[in-house]
Amino acid sequence: MASISPIMRQLGCLRPLLKTPESILCRRTISTAYTPKSDAAPLPNKLPKSFMSQLPTRLRPDQAPKKLKIYPPPASTRNICKEPINAVTQSQLSTLDPTGERKALFDYRRNPRSVKPGDILRVTFKNGDPFSGVCLSIRLRGVDTAFLLRNELTRVGVEMWVKVFSPDVQSVEIVQRSEKRKRRARLYYMRQPRHDMRSVENIVSNYLKKKSALTGQRRQRR
């Protein structure tokens, strides 16, 4: 197959100029232009209805343009509720903790008698066995406030995060408070063998015996 010479390639740009004017004029073109109603020529008086129905609405003399109904903007809720997140949090706390006792129990920044890291706690659930352990940390997150308990079961260290405002949590009891105030808010160093308290079941069992003796109720066996 013969290749096109470079000279012919350069002359290819002159091909549109070689067309005759007749070929250009014979092309069919469609153009539309918008003419406003004020500038349009007046229509004849006696026109058939079939022709009037084909006209657009803006060109019909018997129909006026429809007015659009303008609605006022909705009232801004910024002035009604300036802090929506706090409002939702308070509404949820009023449902989950109506008395406010559980919130005060874990507000260690304001309540001096609240739970602090290093205390031994016993959590009773509505479904399942109770869990006891040393409180390693408290995470204050409003409705998602939780605390971490560590205990030893069958010589294996076990940790559990407990939601304070969970509907499944029936009660939280302080079994034993720490002797000294901890200098840290998160006692993760107690995971090491030299600082680990091991099992706290003996301390919890003694607490339950004293509690049953004071209340006059027998201790339920698990």
Side-chain angles (χ1 to χ4, degrees), residues 76-91:
S76 177
T77 57
R78 184 176 299 178
N79 299 329
I80 301 173
C81 183
K82 296 183 179 180
E83 297 181 357
I85 297 178
N86 294 339
V88 172
T89 303
Q90 293 299 328
S91 64

Side-chain angles (χ1 to χ4, degrees), residues 1 3 10 38 44 52 63 76 91-92 114-115 121-122 125 139 141-142 161 179-180 183 199 203 208 216-217:
M1 182 177 181
S3 61
Q10 295 178 2
S38 58
M52 295 294 294
Q63 293 187 4
S76 177
S91 64
Q92 292 178 347
S114 63
V115 176
L121 305 180
R122 183 175 184 268
F125 301 96
R139 185 174 59 190
R141 296 290 187 276
W161 278 101
E179 298 178 357
K180 296 182 181 180
R183 299 177 63 183
S199 178
I203 301 174
L208 294 177
Q217 297 179 356

Side-chain angles (χ1 to χ4, degrees), residues 90-104 165:
Q90 293 299 328
S91 64
Q92 292 178 347
L93 288 177
S94 62
T95 305
L96 299 174
D97 187 24
T99 59
E101 296 179 358
R102 198 166 293 183
K103 180 181 178 181
F165 302 105

Side-chain angles (χ1 to χ4, degrees), residues 11-28:
L11 295 177
C13 62
L14 302 177
R15 188 177 299 173
L17 300 177
L18 298 177
K19 293 183 178 181
T20 58
E22 296 178 357
S23 61
I24 298 174
L25 294 175
C26 290
R27 294 178 181 176
R28 297 182 63 185

Side-chain angles (χ1 to χ4, degrees), residues 136 148 150 159 161 187-196:
L136 298 186
L148 179 63
R150 179 179 176 82
E159 294 183 0
W161 278 101
L187 308 181
Y188 296 148
Y189 66 89
M190 297 185 71
R191 296 170 177 170
Q192 302 176 6
R194 60 177 181 175
H195 298 292
D196 196 358

Side-chain angles (χ1 to χ4, degrees), residues 196-212:
D196 196 358
M197 291 186 63
R198 303 295 177 182
S199 178
V200 297
E201 293 299 328
N202 294 332
I203 301 174
V204 175
S205 61
N206 294 333
Y207 165 77
L208 294 177
K209 288 179 182 178
K210 294 179 181 179
K211 180 181 177 181
S212 60

